[in-house]
Amino acid sequence: MIMNLRSIGYTLKQGFQGIWRNRMMSLASIGSVTSTLIILGIILILVLNVNNLSVMLKQEFDEIEVFISQEATDEEKTQLENDLKNTDGISNVKYKSKEEALNSMQKQWKDNSYLLDDLEENPFPDSFILRIDNLENSEKIVNSIKNKEGIEDIKYYRDIIERTVTIANIVRTGGLIVIAILILISIFIISNTIKITVAARQKEINIMKYVGATNGFIRGPFIVEGILLGIFGSIVSIALIGYGYKYLFDMASQKLYVFATVYMIPYYQILNDIIIMFVSIGVGIGVIGSVISLRRFLKV
């Protein structure tokens, strides 16, 4: 038990000493890991928010909203409702008063709903919400009803949803390519850092091998060095990404960009995932870099 503790202590001590001896290369390694994870964080946040936006848009806008003219009479509204119900492709028609529209907006804005309290009059018109069978048919349905009596305007978001999904796919694919390249660069730099430590301790390693030290005992300090470099890089990147996204989210809220914050994921909902992911990737980069350098320079 005591020997195991001493062995662990020796491994950790040598790992820290290896980083200190090669401070400049260690800083380069930490910087490389940090840069990789920061870019990963930016891309991850972009992808998560764009995906969240596309999901919310699909949930909210797999429908068509038909705004009723303010001059329309009750008879015209009834006739329009019947016409819409008999239109192919429309599965449900629901009447939405201007009061309901205002209440819905207040709920959507949540803590910022007080901004609507100072309105002199309700700016929202009455409308019909059309639930459609297939979003792909939205344009065809709009063309078939747009000239009906009593319709002021029609709102639907098929193009926005399609563009959002396309952007999400582009961001995801491009981001994965950039991240893969940066991870390889980080592994290369950490590997070179470990190589320097290995070369500097080659004589000591040969002596350890001569007196019977196990392969694991010899490898340990270098693996620890790589892990520490990865952890240090992940800590820096977590702090920068976490603070940066929190600042962006708070600024958007304070500057009254309410529409943006409605579709943004709050920072506290993704912070834990970022921490777990960054530490895992940072440690993984460090271990892989260490193993590569050891395989090439240590024939143990």
Side-chain angles (χ1 to χ4, degrees), residues 103-120:
N103 291 334
S104 177
M105 183 62 70
Q106 288 174 331
K107 291 179 180 179
Q108 189 178 28
W109 285 17
K110 298 179 181 178
D111 295 338
N112 297 300
S113 61
Y114 68 89
L115 297 171
L116 301 172
D117 295 340
D118 295 331
L119 294 174
E120 295 181 0

Side-chain angles (χ1 to χ4, degrees), residues 23 40 44 50 76 95 132 135 213 221 225 247 249 275:
R23 293 185 289 277
L40 168 63
L44 176 65
V50 171
E76 290 174 334
Y95 177 73
I132 58 179
L135 189 62
E225 184 176 341
Y247 175 80
F249 188 88
I275 291 174

Side-chain angles (χ1 to χ4, degrees), residues 139-164:
E139 187 172 357
K140 179 180 178 181
I141 293 173
V142 168
N143 290 331
S144 68
I145 66 174
K146 63 182 180 181
N147 294 321
K148 291 185 180 296
E149 189 72 26
I151 293 180
E152 178 72 23
D153 193 15
I154 299 176
K155 182 175 69 173
Y156 73 114
Y157 296 92
R158 177 187 171 189
D159 290 343
I160 294 177
I161 294 172
E162 290 179 347
R163 289 173 186 173
T164 302

Side-chain angles (χ1 to χ4, degrees), residues 31-96:
S32 178
V33 174
T34 299
S35 301
T36 299
L37 293 178
I38 286 176
I39 294 175
L40 168 63
I42 293 173
I43 294 173
L44 176 65
I45 288 172
L46 278 174
V47 170
L48 289 176
N49 278 285
V50 171
N51 285 344
N52 185 61
L53 174 61
S54 64
V55 169
M56 293 182 70
L57 286 177
K58 287 180 179 178
Q59 292 175 345
E60 186 173 351
F61 300 129
D62 60 342
E63 58 190 22
I64 298 172
E65 187 166 9
V66 177
F67 296 107
I68 305 171
S69 172
Q70 294 184 357
E71 290 77 22
T73 63
D74 291 340
E75 291 78 10
E76 290 174 334
K77 291 180 182 179
T78 301
Q79 181 60 46
L80 177 59
E81 183 176 6
N82 291 331
D83 290 344
L84 294 173
K85 288 181 178 179
N86 293 325
T87 301
D88 292 336
I90 298 177
S91 58
N92 185 53
V93 178
K94 179 182 178 182
Y95 177 73
K96 184 177 182 180

